[in-house]
Amino acid sequence: MSEAAKILQSVESRLVATPSTTTIHTESSTNGNEDTVETAAALKLFPASQSAAAMLANLKIAKTPDEALNNLVGGGLRKGTCLEIAGPPGSGKGSLALEFIRGAVDEDMDVLIVDCQNSMHPSRIVDALDENAKHSIHRVCTNGYAEFFSFLNQLPSYLSSHPKISLVFFSVLSNAFQLIPNHTIKSRLLNLLKAKLTTLNIISIATVQLSTKLQNPDGSAANFDTAGAKAIMLPSLNVGNDGESGWFPLQRSYRILLWREADGMRYLRVTAVPMSKNSNAKSLSFTIDVSGNSQSHLYSSLIVADRTGG
């Protein structure tokens, strides 16, 4: 057995996720049939049995101080949603994530930061939040995919023992997958991460780097020997050039792309929204001040995407 196969077998044996289905039995049913409710989102928000406190917790929203940005992500992030923030170094990914973290703490949520690159230093977190807010922050560092998936295996029990945690932030998640031996292993492990997140009633945010990929004019994957191929920048955790395969479930995820122009202005663009692969996406320009706070400026006249996910 190859080393790559051993790695995959070891990780999969610890991260076997069994999908859960919800079935409701109606008292008026006389034929013994079960009414299976397909509206998973409603059942996720209001399970059949939970306390009033838990119901109120599910209604809390992690928002930024900027309403224009909040509107681009459905008014704010709710439990069960995912947000990917992609961009090159220095584009403001961590600062934008901290805005949502600050909003979650203001809503009396606890936040777990899984630092995959030691880039979210405690001093940076404390500087970005109020003094009292630091007690709402949990932080763990994972170096490489072995430590990351070992912790991921323990995440459900960790969340169970810390019930106030409603948001999990994976800082530079792409770094955890950087040294994975081959494409197949990476794809399988991303699917394991996706399956695990679908079982957790939390807000998931991840920052990822961009990587260069070759693409044919028709959008299919290319290589250096392909005539007419062009190099494009895509979030590095995309399994393929389709821009859709990644760590997040498409039906409940937002994707944001950040970049900086030559004039120094940073720009933000929502490239995907839940349950929609063909919705229009709007763009923002935004600035980050010396305190790390971001402020957006809506550019409705900027290029509007005719396809999300890229």
Side-chain angles (χ1 to χ4, degrees):
M1 183 181 292
S2 67
E3 185 63 26
K6 290 179 180 178
I7 292 170
L8 181 60
Q9 185 181 56
S10 174
V11 172
E12 286 185 324
S13 65
R14 290 177 290 173
L15 283 175
V16 176
T18 304
S20 59
T21 58
T22 304
T23 303
I24 295 179
H25 303 272
T26 58
E27 295 180 359
S28 59
S29 177
T30 58
N31 56 7
N33 293 331
E34 298 173 345
D35 293 332
T36 304
V37 179
E38 299 293 338
T39 54
L43 290 172
K44 190 80 173 177
L45 187 60
F46 298 110
S49 177
Q50 63 176 339
S51 66
M55 291 179 67
L56 290 174
N58 281 334
L59 295 175
K60 292 180 179 179
I61 303 174
K63 300 196 295 185
T64 73
D66 194 295
E67 285 306 315
L69 176 56
N70 294 332
N71 290 337
L72 291 181
V73 291
L77 301 177
R78 296 164 175 80
K79 281 189 174 183
T81 59
C82 300
L83 170 64
E84 179 185 81
I85 305 173
S91 56
K93 299 184 296 296
S95 296
L96 183 58
L98 283 170
E99 293 287 353
F100 283 103
I101 290 174
R102 184 187 292 113
V105 171
D106 288 345
E107 287 291 313
D108 197 31
M109 304 182 198
D110 277 14
V111 176
L112 170 62
I113 297 175
V114 182
D115 196 343
C116 302
Q117 199 184 41
N118 291 314
S119 60
M120 195 59 62
H121 194 272
S123 60
R124 182 183 181 186
I125 300 169
V126 170
D127 289 343
L129 304 176
D130 296 332
E131 180 67 21
N132 295 331
K134 65 182 181 180
H135 302 293
S136 301
I137 303 297
H138 308 251
R139 178 177 177 270
V140 61
C141 290
T142 60
N143 298 308
Y145 60 87
E147 286 189 16
F148 176 79
F149 279 95
S150 293
F151 177 75
L152 188 65
N153 187 48
Q154 302 298 320
L155 183 56
S157 60
Y158 188 90
L159 294 176
S160 178
S161 60
H162 299 83
K164 284 195 66 178
I165 294 178
S166 299
L167 188 155
V168 177
F169 169 46
F170 300 100
S171 178
V172 198
L173 178 62
S174 49
N175 191 66
F177 293 81
Q178 206 166 43
L179 299 179
I180 290 178
N182 60 53
H183 179 83
T184 302
I185 300 294
K186 178 180 178 180
S187 177
R188 295 281 293 276
L189 293 181
L190 282 170
N191 284 331
L192 285 173
L193 172 58
K194 184 188 303 185
K196 179 65 71 173
L197 291 178
T198 58
T199 66
L200 303 175
N201 186 31
I202 56 171
I203 301 167
S204 302
I205 299 177
T207 54
V208 302
Q209 301 286 5
L210 299 181
S211 61
T212 304
K213 299 187 180 183
L214 295 176
Q215 192 177 72
N216 290 313
D218 63 359
S220 60
N223 55 49
F224 288 104
D225 298 324
T226 306
K230 63 179 180 180
I232 60 173
M233 300 292 289
L234 285 174
S236 59
L237 290 185
N238 286 353
V239 175
N241 283 348
D242 59 3
E244 297 174 357
S245 305
W247 63 274
F248 49 85
L250 281 174
Q251 68 274 17
R252 60 191 225 189
S253 300
Y254 294 92
R255 304 183 73 190
I256 287 177
L257 176 66
L258 304 179
W259 74 96
R260 186 199 295 263
E261 294 289 359
D263 59 4
M265 179 69 75
R266 294 179 174 95
Y267 288 84
L268 175 156
R269 183 175 182 180
V270 176
T271 61
V273 296
M275 299 298 292
S276 175
K277 294 170 61 177
N278 298 301
S279 298
N280 289 337
K282 293 186 177 180
S283 300
L284 295 165
S285 69
F286 72 102
T287 56
I288 298 177
D289 61 26
V290 293
S291 300
N293 300 314
S294 64
Q295 182 178 10
S296 66
H297 313 277
L298 185 60
Y299 272 61
S300 58
S301 60
L302 223 57
I303 297 174
V304 177
D306 57 6
R307 179 183 181 277
T308 62

